[in-house]
């Protein structure tokens, strides 16, 4: 009887397998606009353990949108169902819609391999999220949705000489920094533009992701720089920077503005001064005088101590000759042998 009970329990333990569930959801606000990031969340659940650990699906088709490359940190979950404790792994990716209409995630099948129980395949239903342009869109290609946005600027002057004035040939650099949340760098439109009558150099924009906590992405920092170099004397007027953006937190239009500035440029500096500048820096007469004094002091000290230097030279010569000179060894070579 005991043996039968033992084999029954063993068979039940062998037949018992850990259950696995896979779910998918689209986390998005009720009013989603094109370009506003949403999140696709895939969660794996098991009442045993994962071996191997879950991986993001290799293929997840999206209609009227695309997945972004950033991957927020995974979340470990736990739940209680009846008398069973389930463990979960939550993975998410950002997704944006291209245009108005519907953001559609078609139905897909995901397979979770397992060394102990074998693979588990789950069919995830399609997900649909309406996407609408807000009223008052003027330029769809410059439409910028964000939950928070701020602009800052910095001016940098580059002069040939520090005379307190700007002349033709000098450079004015304008740097604009944008910090925003709920946005990706590719959505930021150009902020600075060239001015007529000036040579303009646009430096490569720089952007970085702002994070907090365990690497959660909170926004971006975007820096754009432009250099102006007038070719004629007069005034250079840099216009205001005006950026119209859609506030996804309050569902209304906002306007970020940076004031411009005017600079007066005098005619180019005299040709003689420019020639002297190209010729190089003037000779450092003070340094030359110091070196000349040091050399003269060394020569005078050597002349006064010439006798000691001569004796020292002879002593060193004798020691050198005694170290490397040949040492005769008498009576060491046999003389009674005849060399044939």
């Amino acid at each position: 009887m005991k043996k039968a009970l033992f084999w029954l329990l063993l068979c039940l333990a062998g037949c018992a397998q850990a259950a696995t569930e896979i779910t998918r959801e689209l986390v998005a606000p009720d009013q989603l606009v094109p370009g506003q990031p949403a999140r696709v969340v895939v969660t794996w659940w098991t009442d045993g353990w994962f071996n191997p650990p879950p991986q993001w699906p290799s293929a997840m088709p999206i209609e009227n949108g695309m997945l972004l490359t950033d991957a927020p940190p995974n979340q470990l979950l736990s739940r209680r169902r009846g008398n069973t404790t389930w463990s979960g792994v939550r993975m998410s990716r950002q997704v944006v819609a291209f245009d108005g209409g519907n953001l559609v995630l078609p139905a897909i099948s995901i397979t979770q391999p397992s060394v102990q129980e074998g693979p588990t395949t789950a069919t995830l239903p399609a997900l649909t999220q309406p996407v609408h342009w807000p009223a008052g869109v003027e330029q769809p290609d410059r439409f910028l949705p964000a939950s928070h946005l701020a602009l800052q600027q910095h001016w940098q002057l580059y002069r040939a000489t520090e005379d307190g004035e700007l002349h033709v040939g000098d450079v004015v650099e304008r740097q604009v920094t944008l910090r925003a949340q709920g946005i990706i760098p590719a959505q930021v439109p150009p902020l600075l533009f060239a001015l007529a009558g000036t040579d303009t150099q646009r430096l490569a924009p720089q952007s970085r992701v702002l994070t907090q906590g365990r690497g959660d992405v909170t926004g971006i920092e975007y820096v754009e720089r432009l250099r102006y170099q007038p070719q004629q004397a007069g005034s250079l007027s840099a216009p205001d920077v005006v950026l119209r953006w859609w506030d996804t937190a309050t569902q209304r239009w906002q306007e970020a503005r940076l004031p411009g500035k005017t600079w007066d440029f005098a005619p180019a500096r005299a040709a003689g001064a420019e020639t002297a500048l190209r010729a190089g820096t003037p000779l450092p007469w003070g340094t030359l005088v110091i070196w000349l004094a040091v050399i003269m002091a060394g020569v005078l000290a050597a002349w006064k101590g010439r006798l000691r230097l001569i004796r020292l030279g002879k002593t060193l010569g004798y020691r050198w000759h005694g170290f490397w000179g040949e040492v005769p060894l008498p009576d060491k070579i046999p003389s009674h042998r005849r060399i044939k």
Side-chain angles (χ1 to χ4, degrees):
M1 185 65 181
K2 292 183 178 180
K3 290 185 178 181
L5 183 60
F6 172 77
W7 285 108
L8 180 60
L9 294 176
L10 185 62
C11 292
L12 292 176
C15 295
Q17 293 184 356
T20 301
E21 293 182 4
I22 304 176
T23 61
R24 181 180 66 169
E25 57 182 325
L26 180 60
V27 181
D30 296 335
Q31 298 181 2
L32 186 66
V33 298
Q36 180 180 356
R39 288 190 180 275
V40 180
V41 180
V42 180
T43 307
W44 284 261
W45 292 99
T46 182
D47 58 355
W49 61 88
F50 294 108
N51 186 16
Q55 300 291 332
W56 183 264
S58 58
M60 185 174 291
I62 298 178
E63 298 177 6
N64 189 30
M66 63 175 292
L67 282 175
L68 302 183
T69 57
D70 71 303
N74 299 338
Q75 295 179 347
L76 301 180
L77 307 177
S78 178
R79 71 183 183 187
R80 188 77 175 175
R81 179 180 292 179
N83 295 326
T84 306
T85 301
W86 292 68
S87 301
V89 178
R90 178 186 176 98
M91 298 183 181
S92 63
R93 294 278 296 274
Q94 282 188 327
V95 59
V96 294
F98 294 143
D99 202 351
N102 288 322
L103 177 65
V104 181
L105 279 68
I108 61 172
S109 296
I110 299 179
T111 300
Q112 171 61 31
S114 178
V115 176
Q116 290 82 12
E117 294 83 15
T120 300
T121 301
T123 301
L124 305 181
L127 300 176
T128 302
Q129 173 68 35
V131 182
H132 302 284
W133 289 100
V137 176
E138 300 174 355
Q139 294 176 284
D141 58 334
R142 291 179 59 88
F143 177 68
L144 183 62
S147 60
H148 174 76
L149 188 143
L151 291 179
Q152 294 179 348
Q153 70 176 346
H154 173 71
W155 300 92
Q156 181 68 43
L157 305 179
Y158 296 95
R159 300 184 179 93
T161 58
E162 292 297 335
D163 55 1
E165 293 183 348
L166 289 173
H167 296 261
V168 173
D170 295 338
V171 175
V172 175
E173 178 182 296
R174 187 178 193 179
Q175 174 180 307
V176 174
T177 302
L178 179 146
R179 291 184 177 88
Q181 297 177 0
I183 190 177
I184 59 177
Q187 294 176 290
V188 181
L191 303 175
L192 301 175
F193 301 93
L195 299 178
T198 63
D199 288 344
T200 305
Q201 178 188 10
R202 181 180 298 275
L203 283 72
Q206 299 177 353
S207 61
R208 67 184 183 95
V209 177
L210 303 178
T211 60
Q212 69 178 5
R214 297 176 57 247
D216 296 331
V217 177
T218 59
I220 66 163
E221 181 182 82
Y222 178 87
V223 180
E224 187 172 331
R225 291 186 296 168
L226 203 65
R227 291 177 177 176
Y228 304 103
Q229 186 178 30
Q231 300 301 310
Q232 296 180 355
S235 62
L236 170 67
S237 298
D240 297 348
V241 174
V242 181
L243 181 62
R244 187 170 179 256
W245 59 284
W246 175 255
D247 191 343
T248 57
T250 60
Q251 296 294 315
R252 63 179 182 178
W253 290 101
Q254 301 282 2
E255 187 177 87
R257 180 182 295 270
L258 292 174
K261 202 168 185 178
T262 300
W263 307 91
D264 294 327
F265 280 79
R269 294 174 177 83
E274 294 179 359
T275 304
L277 182 62
R278 289 194 299 268
T281 58
L283 292 176
W285 292 108
T287 304
L288 293 178
V289 169
I290 293 175
W291 278 108
L292 183 59
V294 171
I295 294 173
M296 294 297 295
V299 172
L300 182 60
W303 174 256
K304 289 186 176 181
R306 62 187 183 279
L307 297 179
R308 292 184 180 181
L309 292 176
I310 293 174
R311 287 196 296 267
L312 179 60
K314 290 181 178 181
T315 302
L316 292 177
Y318 293 150
R319 290 183 177 275
W320 180 269
H321 180 72
F323 182 80
W324 292 105
E326 297 181 358
V327 179
L329 300 175
D331 300 332
K332 297 298 182 181
I333 301 177
S335 57
H336 61 277
R337 293 183 181 181
R338 184 169 54 186
I339 302 175
K340 296 181 179 180

